[in-house]
Every structure is written in C-alpha cells, then in structure tokens.
Amino acid sequence: MRRPLVVGNWKMNGRLGEAEELARAITSAEIDWDRVGVGVCPPFPLIERVAGAVSGSPVAWGGQNLHAEDSGAFTGEVHGPLLRDLGCTYVIVGHSERRGYFAETNEDVAAKFEAAHRNDLVPILCVGETEEERDAGRAEPVVRAQMEAVLDLAEDPFAGAVVAYEPVWAIGTGRTATPEQAQEMHALIRSLVGDRQPQTAQTLPLLYGGSVKSANAAELMPQADVDGALVGGACLKADEFQAILKAAAQAGAGA
Ligand code: 13P
C-alpha cells in the first residue's frame, strides 16, 4: 500500500512577494491530508520563506538540485547539509532541465542522489526519454540506463527514495503521456528496482511528471504504478495544484 505523493516543482519561478501566499494557499486545500503526501520545491532563496509559511502543516519542502559534494569551492552551488539545515525533506535530482541545459550525466546524477541520502534528504530521481528517443523506440533503454546508474551505487539505493518518470516531450508542452504510456513506463521502473530489491520496489513511490493538471490528474493517478505527480506549471496556480492534490487523495482512497 503506497500513499500518493504530489510534489510541486516551482522551477525558476516565484518572487519574494508571492511565495508565502502560494505556499499558504496549498496548506488550505480541502483534502483528506492522511491520504496524500505533499511537497513543494521552490528556488533556493525562497526555501526559508516557504518553510515558514507551511511549517506546522502537513506540507513538506525541498530543493530542486544539490551539489554532489558536501562543501567546498564550487561557486554558485548549494550543498546537501545546507538543505538539511533548512529543514528540507526532499531534493530533486536529475531533472531533465538539469540533464539537458546543464549537461548532467547519469553518473553526475547518481553522485547527487548519493549526496541526498548522505544528508538524510529524500532524493526524487527524475528519469525520462526525449521525443527523439521515444520515436526511435529507445524510451526503455534510455530510462533503464538512467535507473541503472543509480541502482549500481549500492545494494538498495532506492530505499527511502522517490522516482519521477518525466518524459521530456511532455514537460511544459501541454502534451501529457496517456495513462497507459505512463503506466507502462512506471511498471518498467518498478521492475528494474524489483529485479534487485523486490521489497523496496513494492513501497517505492513512482511519480508521473509532464503537463499534469487538474484536467488529466484524475485519469493518471489511479494507474496501478502511478503513485502521484511531480507538477511544474500547474503548481504555480493554487487552485490547480489543490485540484491535483484532490485527485491524488481520491486515488489513494480507492487503492
Ligand atoms: P510541467 O508540469 O510544467 O510540464 O513540468 C513538469 C516538470 O518538469 C516537473 O518537474
């Protein structure tokens, strides 16, 4: 039995004047909070404000990235121990925008995943293929390689972690994977973990990400291996995000 989890990735959005209001609005969602876990990942300088706005509520917070090292001369980077100091529960690693725009390789992402665990942060590992890769029939091997880079780190690296399947062609495009496409890839991801650690695979939360909104959440969330969502654009609108939380909570109630 897996409790649904919905995490909002604010990406490079949000200003000082609006962050608290958005964060507070999330806490006022009229949902059964026992049935869904909720997290928000704002830009680094907003974490403390957002934490102040949601602390005492069931909403957790996290970072969108971290450096693989715990300290040092890495100008402009943010370290895991600092995210921990800020009370973060989660940290996103390997988002396709980091892989694509900042040239993060599977090995870089694996090192960040390890840094998250080392600092008692729950890594949300993002995997997913590009449109070109899907069209070439390579979605499976691409996601397999992304998963294996982390699986090879340790005996049971996904214990206490989260995976988000985010097909790159669905991110910010308004084009969502069909519930069947999402389910197919989620089942693959769970089986890759299950081949090594069956127990961990059963409890591992697998989020879908890519143009999730209120209009499609109710279809995606009930899929057998879809345990929630990693939401970009729609998490910046309180009513949209609340509706997604509601769909996830309902799917949890039906599980
Ligand atoms: P969108 O919901 O804007 O497509 O973004 C998804 C995403 O990248 C979440 O990490």
Side-chain angles (χ1 to χ4, degrees):
M1 178 67 171
R2 295 179 296 270
R3 189 166 81 124
L5 171 67
V6 178
V7 176
N9 174 8
W10 290 17
K11 306 193 179 181
M12 198 174 71
N13 295 292
R15 301 282 298 272
L16 281 184
E18 60 203 16
E20 284 168 299
E21 195 184 335
L22 178 56
R24 249 186 234 111
I26 296 164
T27 66
S28 68
E30 289 175 17
I31 54 167
D32 184 345
W33 288 91
D34 290 337
R35 296 203 183 277
V36 61
V38 182
V40 285
C41 296
F44 293 128
L46 292 180
I47 289 179
E48 209 164 7
R49 277 192 183 225
V50 166
V54 303
S55 76
S57 84
V59 178
W61 58 92
Q64 299 173 11
N65 180 33
L66 83 171
H67 195 274
E69 299 290 330
D70 285 350
S71 66
F74 300 104
T75 302
E77 291 292 308
V78 171
H79 47 321
L82 177 58
L83 294 181
R84 197 57 232 153
D85 285 350
L86 290 166
C88 289
T89 299
Y90 299 105
V91 63
I92 298 170
V93 298
H95 192 280
S96 62
E97 288 148 19
R98 300 292 320 172
R99 292 177 190 262
Y101 301 141
F102 301 95
E104 290 186 10
T105 64
N106 283 344
E107 290 64 37
D108 296 332
V109 172
K112 290 180 177 210
F113 185 99
E114 205 165 35
H117 268 323
R118 190 168 65 235
N119 288 290
D120 294 324
L121 298 159
V122 175
I124 302 177
L125 173 73
C126 298
V127 297
E129 78 286 358
T130 63
E131 182 164 37
E132 203 181 7
E133 289 161 346
R134 176 159 280 261
D135 289 347
R138 291 182 45 234
E140 271 202 36
V142 166
V143 168
R144 184 183 293 268
Q146 291 169 338
M147 288 295 296
E148 278 174 356
V150 173
L151 279 164
D152 289 344
L153 281 176
E155 203 173 311
D156 193 10
F158 284 100
V162 174
V163 177
Y165 170 60
E166 298 208 313
V168 181
W169 47 272
I171 295 177
T173 58
R175 231 182 109 194
T176 321
T178 64
E180 294 73 27
Q181 283 171 326
Q183 169 56 27
E184 188 184 12
M185 293 304 282
H186 282 225
L188 167 75
I189 293 164
R190 200 178 302 287
S191 77
L192 291 172
V193 178
D195 287 346
R196 306 207 193 182
Q197 293 291 340
Q199 201 69 29
T200 300
Q202 280 318 306
T203 53
L204 178 67
L206 296 185
L207 314 186
Y208 169 77
S211 296
V212 175
K213 39 187 179 272
S214 60
N216 55 32
E219 281 194 321
L220 287 159
M221 295 303 119
Q223 295 298 311
D225 288 297
V226 175
D227 306 316
L230 184 56
V231 184
C235 81
L236 300 170
K237 298 178 206 123
D239 53 344
E240 271 289 298
F241 195 58
Q242 289 184 357
I244 295 166
L245 298 183
K246 203 167 270 183
Q250 274 163 7

